[in-house]
Amino acid sequence: MASPSMRWIDDGCNVDGGNPGLTREKLFVLVVADDALVRKVHEKLVSKLKVAKQVQTQTAANRKEALDLHLSGSSFDIILMDMQMPIMDGPEATKELRAMGVESMIVGVTSVDATADKEAIVEAGLDECLAKPLTAEKIKYLVETLERNK
Amino acid sequence: MDVGLVQMQRRLADYANALFKEGILDSQYLQLQELQDESNPDFVVEVVSLFFTDSEKLLNDLSRDLAQPNVDFKRVDAHVHQLKGSSSSIGAERVKNACIVFRNFCQEKNIPGCLRCLQQIKQEFLLVKSKLETLFKLEQQVVAAGGSIPTVQQPSL
């Protein structure tokens, strides 16, 4: 789902209340972040959401781990890509995933004041961008977008 | 009715509410609490402990970085950016805000400003650490007495 237009979601401004009745069969989410705290919180946030009958999460601490997971055959519905990893790992990882043919929804997660990241984000091929902190509402919006674009 | 337990719960609720009122914690901390459940009853303590460990390392790194003869501001900024992210993730509002100010001085390559900010962040970090450790102790006392932890509502400002 490498959409050419990237949307910026901050503080829930573009997030509506969502469809409470929407339930997918399965949702696979990959959380890519070098910070263990961020991985733990984001993974828990996603796994607690009742947006699918079965929600599975996996984490990767850096670009290499994210790529290795895909090379080993794993695929995900949503990839939450932390843009604050060192050496611009986030955008680079996204480019490489797209080059591999990964069509998952790839969502950049960054700070709302990271305007410099926006250009890198668009160039890298992300589908959406979320401002930290991540919330249940923002993730539900992503799943709704996934459903609409099926 | 166990009057002692009720008083403990009241004390806990008042203490927690004060942390929000004083701007030490923000709503992100409540989001963390909502993630805690029976399958992971120590989730908040685990996450906050990670924050304490990571922050202490980052603050040491920053002290060392700013003491260098040629300060690498990109490196300093990266550390502050990371600290801002993790403090934001647990709702440590004052630490997060101090990081924002720090980053401005980094962009200006203003060493005295950065050093002042580092001191400020250290103070805010020690404060939130102390407050959260007290909060967890109060919660443990309530649970040990057979009570449940009252839900905190972020006070409207």
Side-chain angles (χ1 to χ4, degrees), chain B residues 64 70 77 152:
Chain B
R64 195 180 55 242
N70 293 312
D77 185 66
V152 178

Side-chain angles (χ1 to χ4, degrees), chain B residues 69-129:
Chain B
N70 293 312
V71 174
D72 182 347
F73 284 100
K74 259 184 115 173
R75 187 183 161 89
V76 171
D77 185 66
H79 285 143
V80 180
H81 198 38
Q82 193 176 343
L83 184 55
K84 181 187 158 218
S86 55
S87 59
S88 167
S89 292
I90 71 135
E93 190 177 1
R94 284 204 208 166
V95 176
K96 180 192 77 178
N97 290 341
C99 289
I100 293 171
V101 178
F102 195 152
R103 294 194 76 202
N104 291 336
F105 282 116
C106 273
Q107 280 171 9
E108 293 170 13
K109 294 185 165 55
N110 182 333
I111 294 177
C114 286
L115 286 168
R116 280 197 304 274
C117 280
L118 180 57
Q119 274 310 110
Q120 181 68 23
I121 291 176
K122 282 179 179 175
Q123 281 174 17
E124 295 299 349
F125 169 71
L126 288 172
L127 177 64
V128 74
K129 184 167 186 247

Side-chain angles (χ1 to χ4, degrees), chain B residues 15-155:
Chain B
Y15 191 84
N17 285 329
L19 296 184
F20 289 98
K21 212 168 172 183
E22 291 164 25
I24 294 173
L25 293 178
D26 64 25
S27 60
Q28 187 59 22
Y29 185 80
L30 296 175
Q31 294 258 355
L32 278 192
Q33 287 188 316
E34 284 174 23
L35 294 177
Q36 185 161 290
D37 56 25
E38 299 82 32
S39 70
N40 204 170
D42 298 319
F43 179 73
V44 176
V45 171
E46 287 169 7
V47 170
V48 171
S49 299
L50 268 175
F51 169 68
F52 291 162
T53 309
D54 289 352
S55 300
E56 278 159 358
K57 184 182 180 303
L58 282 167
L59 290 170
N60 286 338
D61 289 344
L62 282 166
S63 294
R64 195 180 55 242
D65 291 344
L66 288 172
Q68 299 302 309
N70 293 312
V71 174
D72 182 347
F73 284 100
K74 259 184 115 173
R75 187 183 161 89
V76 171
D77 185 66
H79 285 143
V80 180
H81 198 38
Q82 193 176 343
L83 184 55
K84 181 187 158 218
S86 55
S87 59
S88 167
S89 292
I90 71 135
E93 190 177 1
R94 284 204 208 166
V95 176
K96 180 192 77 178
N97 290 341
C99 289
I100 293 171
V101 178
F102 195 152
R103 294 194 76 202
N104 291 336
F105 282 116
C106 273
Q107 280 171 9
E108 293 170 13
K109 294 185 165 55
N110 182 333
I111 294 177
C114 286
L115 286 168
R116 280 197 304 274
C117 280
L118 180 57
Q119 274 310 110
Q120 181 68 23
I121 291 176
K122 282 179 179 175
Q123 281 174 17
E124 295 299 349
F125 169 71
L126 288 172
L127 177 64
V128 74
K129 184 167 186 247
S130 165
K131 294 286 186 181
L132 282 171
E133 283 171 344
T134 302
L135 183 69
F136 294 150
K137 277 201 183 90
L138 290 172
E139 287 178 351
Q140 279 168 4
Q141 287 169 3
V142 165
V143 170
S148 58
I149 297 166
T151 310
V152 178
Q153 298 280 334
Q154 185 180 6

Side-chain angles (χ1 to χ4, degrees), chain A residues 32 34 61-64 81-96:
Chain A
V32 187
D34 66 329
N62 52 48
R63 174 170 98 196
K64 183 178 184 309
M81 184 76 71
D82 191 345
M83 293 285 125
Q84 288 173 222
M85 292 188 286
I87 323 168
M88 291 293 280
D89 244 17
E92 283 307 311
T94 303
K95 278 183 199 168
E96 289 179 16

